Amino acid sequence: GHAGPAAGVVFTADGKGLVSAGGDKTVRTWDIDKKGTTAIESDLPAECEAVAAAGTWVATGHRDGTLQVRGA
């Protein structure tokens, strides 16, 4: 999991995964069935996240007002 608090968690559109954003400068994708996680490094601690309906993109919002979009 995250090395610090998670700022938010959202389900993927297919309901098979989760995406979480944390204060540890990572966004994590979670596979519920496999109980595994993959970390995506971020430049800043994330405050919130959103996942594109197709599950191909993850957007994160940051306290400094920036938004980062990356492939999931």
Side-chain angles (χ1 to χ4, degrees):
H2 290 281
V9 178
V10 294
F11 277 97
T12 56
D14 63 7
K16 296 180 180 180
L18 297 166
V19 175
S20 61
D24 59 356
K25 297 184 181 180
T26 63
V27 175
R28 292 191 173 274
T29 57
W30 303 79
D31 184 316
I32 295 171
D33 292 334
K34 295 179 183 176
K35 298 180 180 160
T37 179
T38 301
I40 304 168
E41 297 295 321
S42 180
D43 298 336
L44 300 164
E47 297 294 319
C48 61
E49 74 291 321
V51 181
T56 54
W57 298 98
V58 174
T60 53
H62 305 272
R63 191 171 292 213
D64 69 350
T66 60
L67 177 71
Q68 294 181 343
V69 180
R70 61 187 61 76

